[in-house]
Amino acid sequence: MKYVLGIDLGTSGTKTVLFDQTGVAVASSTVEYPLYQPHNGWAEQEPRDWWNAAVSTIRTVLEKSGVNKEDVVSLGISGQMHGLVMLDEKGEVLRPSIIWCDQRTQEECDDIHRIVGKERLIEITANPALTGFTLSKVLWVRKHQPEIYAKCRHILLPKDYVRYMLTGDFATEVSDASGMQMLDVPNRCWSDELLEKLDIDKSMLAKVYESCEVTGHVSAEAAALTGLSDQTLVVGGAGDNAAAAVGTGVVEDGKAFTTIGTSGVVFAHTDSLAIDPKGRVHTFCCAVPGAWHVMGVTQAAGLSLKWFRDTFCDAEKQAAQQMDIDPYDLMNKEAALSPIGANKLLYAPYLMGERTPHLDADCRGMFFGLSAMHTRRDLLRAVMEGVTYSLRDCLGVLSEMGVAPETMLACGGGGKSPLWRQMLADVFQMPVATTVNTEGPALGVAILAGVGAGLYASVPEACRAMIHQNPAQTPIADNIPAYEKVYGVFTQLYAANREVFKALAKM
């Protein structure tokens, strides 16, 4: 039996899973690390934390599984997208990574639109300039920390930093590179035009591969640290959402998934390039060679519920610890006791600004309609519903583009909740299922690793062999009009407060 390794470098932690070639998870390990917010709207992490977590989790899964290291033929890495890692000529990290949810770069985004032209930028990169993307972060460092920029010789994404530490190779792949905003997305290569206009040295960017291509192998030094063989191949891997698509089998037209992780995503595969001229959703190269995906993003999906848990749910956390269960299980039970609409209470999940459909770094979260009758269970349900409505906004934009999936898969931490999945089914008005294996991105990059190692001929073939689906939750007919009424009010919240958000940002 041959084995493949999937490493999922997330925002809250890194999870490594060892799979056999049929897709069965043999062993897994997770290590968490901190997020730093030195100023309002900023978000940074230490790349060394990611590497230490990768080393620790790889060693743990190999020890737990008892698998011979020579039988682990290949590995893939999934990663939080858009983060900026800057290395000097010796490969040393120059500053903490500015990660995907950081919102400091609006001025740089304005500069990009002015220099390149918004329409031309969308033609090249399939997206407008956004604060979350890597390009604006590069320009921010150049403007505000020129002494660091002057020392920079390599620009990497989070997962590609871990790849570099594993292999010594400077490499990336098309799905994650698409989110840097320096890739010519239609042609799947770096844009010389864009780099020239913005005066960015192309030599700082890594070589671009397809997601299932082999980019190198584990170095002797990394093998000694992790317990892997120095013959283990490393494939391109994928950005977290592209990896989740492979891990749920969304690799063919007509299929889509919704992730409720730290951020929330509605993601659909397309064999034909489709770009929203308004830039409300993202079009990226997907992990299937020659294909793309369209995705809408809610910045603070699971983050909204985590924030509520950490701020207001000490009682649930303590009770869960005594009962040896997940606090979210108790929170779900509480939320289920509140009716649809949470007794006329709405929540806007804009804790970190918003991407789809508003493209507004200044908007912020809110509870709307609070009264003395509301209890914690109402607030909990309002948070879950607000995230669901925001994801419905994403689905609506995809539909306008002619991308209209018939079924939906749910993944991420929020996708484990039957209550949240039923909300999705009722609000999306379509069946929502899960996969038997819930490893998502880790399984996705392990599948890519299997293709790269020659265990399977193609990504779709590998998915058919390694992924199995649970029965879907179907919409409850009586719930649909109730949710529609609340969603109609939700869609008015942003427009009614847009100017207030701007005034708040200037305080």
Side-chain angles (χ1 to χ4, degrees):
M1 177 73 75
K2 300 299 182 184
Y3 298 85
V4 286
L5 200 66
I7 303 170
D8 181 18
L9 191 165
T11 307
S12 58
T14 287
K15 183 175 186 178
T16 296
V17 188
L18 183 67
F19 299 91
D20 69 22
Q21 64 192 68
T22 69
V24 173
V26 178
S28 69
S29 176
T30 301
V31 169
E32 295 187 350
Y33 32 70
L35 166 69
Y36 302 99
Q37 294 186 274
H39 301 284
N40 186 21
W42 290 27
E44 299 183 346
Q45 288 186 314
E46 291 288 349
R48 179 61 63 168
D49 289 343
W50 304 330
W51 171 236
N52 291 339
V55 170
S56 175
T57 54
I58 293 169
R59 289 198 69 89
T60 298
V61 298
L62 291 176
E63 291 168 1
K64 287 168 65 174
S65 69
V67 168
N68 190 314
K69 65 181 180 180
E70 279 75 23
D71 291 329
V72 182
V73 293
S74 59
L75 68 85
I77 312 171
S78 161
Q80 50 166 298
M81 297 179 69
H82 317 307
L84 171 63
V85 181
M86 306 184 84
L87 307 182
D88 65 15
E89 60 184 7
K90 296 180 179 180
E92 298 294 328
V93 175
L94 286 166
R95 70 173 321 283
S97 173
I98 306 174
I99 68 167
W100 61 273
C101 54
D102 190 281
Q103 297 292 321
R104 78 184 71 176
T105 61
Q106 187 58 55
E107 287 186 6
E108 287 69 33
C109 289
D110 295 339
D111 290 341
I112 295 167
H113 283 155
R114 176 177 51 81
I115 295 168
V116 180
K118 185 174 181 179
E119 290 185 2
R120 181 58 182 151
L121 183 71
I122 293 175
E123 289 173 354
I124 296 170
T125 71
N127 297 278
L130 297 176
T131 54
F133 284 7
T134 316
L135 175 57
S136 62
K137 298 176 174 67
V138 173
L139 300 184
W140 186 93
V141 173
R142 185 167 71 184
K143 181 189 295 183
H144 295 278
Q145 299 175 337
E147 72 286 354
I148 290 177
Y149 188 83
K151 297 177 183 177
C152 181
R153 297 295 179 271
H154 301 282
I155 293 171
L156 295 176
L157 291 157
K159 82 171 194 316
D160 298 325
Y161 171 73
V162 171
R163 178 204 316 278
Y164 164 67
M165 296 296 286
L166 275 171
T167 68
D169 299 316
F170 296 108
T172 189
E173 48 71 44
V174 291
S175 73
D176 213 357
S178 295
M180 294 181 78
Q181 196 133 56
M182 291 177 273
L183 193 78
D184 180 338
V185 169
N187 294 301
R188 309 169 89 86
C189 61
W190 297 123
S191 170
D192 290 328
E193 175 187 340
L194 191 62
L195 297 173
E196 182 179 342
K197 286 181 175 178
L198 295 170
D199 193 25
I200 295 174
D201 185 352
K202 186 178 178 179
S203 69
M204 293 196 293
L205 302 178
K207 183 179 178 181
V208 182
Y209 293 81
E210 290 291 337
S211 301
C212 54
E213 281 189 278
V214 174
T215 66
H217 61 85
V218 175
S219 69
E221 181 182 3
L225 288 171
T226 61
L228 288 166
S229 164
D230 60 10
Q231 299 302 305
T232 300
L233 301 175
V234 179
V235 300
D240 49 7
N241 294 303
V246 178
T248 52
V250 179
V251 295
E252 299 169 289
D253 276 354
K255 296 186 176 182
F257 74 81
T258 295
T259 296
I260 304 177
T262 304
S263 61
V265 170
V266 178
F267 177 115
H269 178 96
T270 176
D271 288 335
S272 302
L273 182 66
I275 298 174
D276 175 32
K278 298 179 183 178
R280 295 168 296 172
V281 299
H282 310 313
T283 298
F284 293 151
C285 303
C286 77
V288 180
W292 291 264
H293 63 252
V294 183
M295 55 185 276
V297 179
T298 294
Q299 288 276 83
L303 177 62
S304 288
L305 197 60
K306 181 179 185 297
W307 163 78
F308 193 90
R309 180 200 69 179
D310 293 344
T311 308
F312 301 112
C313 294
D314 280 346
E316 285 81 359
K317 291 166 73 173
Q318 292 175 16
Q321 186 175 16
Q322 294 174 358
M323 299 166 68
D324 195 26
I325 61 173
D326 192 327
Y328 288 117
D329 292 340
L330 295 181
M331 292 161 63
N332 280 329
K333 289 179 180 178
E334 278 195 79
L337 296 174
S338 180
I340 292 172
N343 290 310
K344 298 183 180 180
L345 179 64
L346 281 80
Y347 170 75
Y350 309 140
L351 299 184
M352 304 296 294
E354 192 53 286
R355 291 200 201 172
T356 307
H358 305 309
L359 300 177
D360 189 345
D362 292 333
C363 64
R364 289 293 180 265
M366 73 175 98
F367 284 102
F368 178 78
L370 270 173
S371 75
M373 62 118 15
H374 286 120
T375 64
R376 184 161 49 192
R377 66 183 53 163
D378 296 317
L379 273 71
L380 272 168
R381 184 171 191 111
V383 168
M384 297 175 75
E385 287 189 8
V387 171
T388 305
Y389 299 140
S390 186
L391 293 167
R392 164 75 177 270
D393 283 345
C394 298
L395 185 63
V397 177
L398 266 60
S399 296
E400 290 179 29
M401 298 169 64
V403 181
E406 298 176 358
T407 61
M408 188 69 64
L409 286 160
C411 53
K416 298 176 183 178
S417 163
L419 174 62
W420 222 334
R421 291 200 304 271
Q422 191 62 55
M423 285 184 187
L424 291 170
D426 295 341
V427 173
F428 288 1
Q429 300 178 36
M430 67 178 66
V432 174
T434 59
T435 55
V436 173
N437 190 318
T438 59
E439 301 298 350
L443 175 59
V445 290
I447 289 172
L448 296 173
V451 176
L455 301 181
Y456 295 98
S458 70
V459 177
E461 178 188 311
C463 288
R464 286 190 286 271
M466 298 177 72
I467 297 171
H468 307 282
Q469 191 172 306
N470 292 311
Q473 287 178 242
T474 57
I476 298 171
D478 290 345
N479 290 353
I480 292 174
Y483 279 117
E484 283 293 291
K485 186 179 295 185
V486 184
Y487 178 63
V489 178
F490 175 85
T491 59
Q492 300 176 54
L493 290 180
Y494 172 77
N497 289 278
R498 181 167 46 211
E499 297 306 316
V500 180
F501 291 140
K502 292 180 181 178
L504 182 65
K506 294 177 181 177
M507 285 180 62

